Amino acid sequence: MIKPELLAPAGNLEKLKMALIYGADAVYLGGERFGLRAQAGNFTLEDIKEGIEIAHELGKKVYITVNIIPHNEDLEGLSDYIKELEKLSVDALILSDPGVFLTIKEVAPGMEIHLSTQANNTNYKSAEFWYKQGVKRIVLARELSFNEIKDIVEKAPKGLEFEAFVHGAMCISYSGRCLLSNYMVGRDANRGECAHPCRYKYYLMEEKRPGQYMPIEEDEKGTYIFNSRDLCMIDHIPELVNSGIKSFKIEGRMKSSYYVATVVRAYRKAIDEYFEKPENYIVDKEWLDEVHKASHREFSTGFYFGKPDSKGQIYETSSYVRDYAFVGIVQDYDAASGIATIEQRNKMSLGEEIEIIGPHKKMFTQKIEAMWDTDGQEISSVPHPQQIFKMRMKKAVEKYDIIRRERGADE
């Protein structure tokens, strides 16, 4: 067996670093133009340069999204942008549009190209077509079952790689192609500006009965009839590996550094465990517990085991489950004193129970018993955003270890 790549989202430089440190083999990110996450932090060319240097120093890869479905004006500046990316030694570009593909072939013919899920690749003949054009990898449509994926992999050209989403938000529309945002608020989802109207509250009304709502609502809040559950395949690593998928992709360029680190860490552990003990592999409950501690909606397995039924939707709410708060990140640790220097991310106070996780350690818990500000004065809480402070730790910690706590009822 060939161990699959674990591919993580990077909405900014911090998220890129956390993804790689916590176990991702590669990251995908967008520049300031031509990508489908216009509201993400996104990367300037200088940021991309720095991100690539960090990744390559760790022996890991960076893929850049140029996957909008462009109108004529969107093509302006594309050639120059691609040339700049080529100079920065980007590992691959992710695209969905034949015009963008042609432009890349004209100005950077040696560039590795990955076909985005936006291109809706659902069969082996389409895969063969794109391979013959020069595509190295295809990100499969999310609407495929394991049986369909295995058939595509077996019948596709042997040099072609396949990537698939294994975790994160699901789109109600076919592989992300949607005009609902355009209609509702005038923001083009296919050009990076999705307003997520599938998460809005809706009622059903028949046109000849104005004001009379059909009894499909679950409660007084309404019914979220377009609201998909999040995808989570951490319980199914053997099936994913055996399907022939080369790269396991996590969704979430709009998510936090904590989300990226937590989810990547869990999948890293699950994949490594399977390859260490394929014959005696047992799913560890801790992995699923970990992904539940990151912001999420209720989980499903998407289309992998067949078309989702009503259990693939959430009809009660569009809200995320956020049971845990990311409260700090370790900046330094003095082993002699057992005191860590920490950057605050959310308020924490003396007496609170916290959990500490890191890329290479098992999670442990402790109470906050003592904290000091940068002047060495004892403090009872750290309320200020990104406040630097010190804390005594029960066990040794490392730079980039994450501190979290369970949210209170009023948060």
Side-chain angles (χ1 to χ4, degrees):
M1 295 187 297
I2 299 174
K3 186 179 283 192
E5 172 186 85
L6 180 57
L7 177 58
N12 57 34
L13 271 174
E14 180 183 84
K15 295 173 189 178
L16 178 146
K17 292 175 185 177
M18 294 298 279
L20 297 177
I21 289 166
Y22 275 77
D25 299 303
V27 292
Y28 64 99
L29 55 93
E32 294 179 306
R33 293 180 62 193
F34 310 112
L36 280 177
R37 289 293 182 271
Q39 304 305 311
N42 291 324
F43 286 66
T44 64
L45 285 171
E46 281 301 310
D47 289 337
I48 292 173
K49 181 177 184 293
E50 184 176 347
I52 289 171
E53 288 172 353
I54 292 168
H56 288 180
E57 189 172 325
L58 295 170
K60 302 186 178 187
K61 295 182 177 181
V62 176
Y63 309 139
I64 309 294
T65 60
V66 284
N67 57 342
I68 62 168
I69 299 172
H71 291 235
N72 290 334
E73 62 268 24
D74 296 317
L75 296 175
E76 294 176 12
L78 178 61
S79 295
D80 291 337
Y81 179 61
I82 291 166
K83 290 175 185 176
E84 291 295 329
L85 294 179
E86 184 181 36
K87 291 177 186 176
L88 297 178
S89 299
V90 169
D91 293 289
L93 298 180
I94 306 170
L95 60 83
S96 61
D97 179 74
V100 175
F101 176 87
L102 182 60
T103 303
I104 293 171
K105 282 297 181 183
E106 289 170 348
V107 302
M111 179 67 71
E112 183 171 316
I113 297 175
H114 297 177
L115 189 71
S116 170
T117 190
Q118 296 290 124
N120 315 128
N121 201 119
T122 57
N123 64 79
Y124 62 89
K125 289 303 287 184
S126 290
E128 181 183 353
F129 167 82
W130 283 109
Y131 177 74
K132 288 180 177 178
Q133 307 312 305
V135 167
K136 174 72 180 299
R137 178 187 294 181
I138 289 176
V139 187
L140 291 166
R142 302 186 202 201
E143 296 77 20
L144 293 173
S145 68
F146 272 127
N147 288 337
E148 291 174 299
I149 291 170
K150 287 178 182 177
D151 199 34
I152 290 172
V153 173
E154 288 172 3
K155 293 179 179 177
K158 297 306 176 188
L160 182 59
E161 297 177 357
F162 292 95
E163 176 181 307
F165 282 93
V166 300
H167 193 93
M170 294 283 284
C171 183
I172 191 64
S173 295
Y174 207 92
S175 287
R177 291 202 172 208
C178 182
L179 295 175
L180 190 58
S181 182
N182 301 57
Y183 179 77
M184 299 291 283
V185 295
R187 285 168 51 181
D188 193 337
N190 298 311
R191 298 162 85 181
E193 297 184 336
C194 183
H196 303 287
C198 54
R199 311 294 180 184
Y200 295 178
K201 300 177 184 179
Y202 291 93
Y203 293 88
L204 180 64
M205 186 178 70
E206 199 273 324
E207 67 172 336
K208 294 182 180 179
R209 297 175 175 83
Q212 181 178 338
Y213 299 107
M214 299 297 105
I216 62 169
E217 60 269 19
E218 298 294 327
D219 56 27
E220 69 279 2
K221 296 178 183 178
T223 298
Y224 300 84
I225 57 176
F226 301 134
N227 192 44
S228 298
R229 290 174 181 254
D230 281 2
L231 177 65
C232 178
M233 292 296 289
I234 201 162
D235 284 349
H236 302 284
I237 299 300
E239 295 97 318
L240 289 166
V241 171
N242 293 327
S243 71
I245 298 169
K246 166 75 174 179
S247 181
F248 295 179
K249 188 171 192 173
I250 296 168
E251 182 275 339
R253 279 191 285 148
M254 302 285 287
K255 302 288 179 65
S256 69
S257 298
Y258 168 65
Y259 172 92
V260 172
T262 304
V263 174
V264 166
R265 176 177 178 268
Y267 276 87
R268 179 77 279 153
K269 287 178 176 290
I271 294 167
D272 289 350
E273 181 74 10
Y274 178 65
F275 276 80
E276 285 178 20
K277 306 173 184 176
E279 301 300 325
N280 301 299
Y281 179 73
I282 298 173
V283 175
D284 191 328
K285 182 178 177 295
E286 180 199 350
W287 306 332
L288 191 58
D289 288 344
E290 279 297 302
V291 296
H292 272 97
K293 289 179 180 180
S295 174
H296 67 282
R297 299 181 184 91
E298 293 178 45
F299 288 131
S300 81
T301 54
F303 289 77
Y304 280 105
F305 295 97
K307 292 181 180 179
D309 55 18
S310 60
K311 294 179 181 178
Q313 299 294 111
I314 309 171
Y315 297 111
E316 297 82 14
T317 178
S318 64
S319 299
Y320 283 99
V321 178
R322 292 186 174 98
D323 293 333
Y324 281 77
F326 171 32
V327 293
I329 184 167
V330 175
Q331 299 292 310
D332 195 13
Y333 176 69
D334 180 61
S337 65
I339 293 175
T341 302
I342 298 164
E343 182 183 288
Q344 185 259 37
R345 292 306 173 90
N346 273 293
K347 183 180 178 181
M348 58 183 122
S349 304
L350 286 177
E352 289 182 333
E353 188 87 12
I354 55 174
E355 296 182 355
I356 297 90
I357 62 169
H360 311 298
K361 66 165 52 68
K362 193 173 181 65
M363 184 269 290
F364 69 91
T365 64
Q366 71 169 63
K367 276 192 175 180
I368 303 176
E369 296 178 345
M371 296 188 293
W372 301 268
D373 63 20
T374 52
D375 294 324
Q377 300 297 312
E378 286 198 37
I379 52 177
S380 60
S381 68
V382 279
H384 306 300
Q386 295 186 292
Q387 180 177 347
I388 303 298
F389 68 101
K390 295 181 184 293
M391 181 194 299
R392 191 180 305 282
M393 307 304 292
K394 183 172 76 174
K395 295 183 179 181
V397 293
E398 301 173 81
K399 187 175 182 179
Y400 299 117
D401 282 1
I402 282 173
I403 301 170
R404 68 188 174 206
R405 61 167 170 76
E406 199 164 359
R407 288 180 181 270
D410 57 342
E411 291 185 89

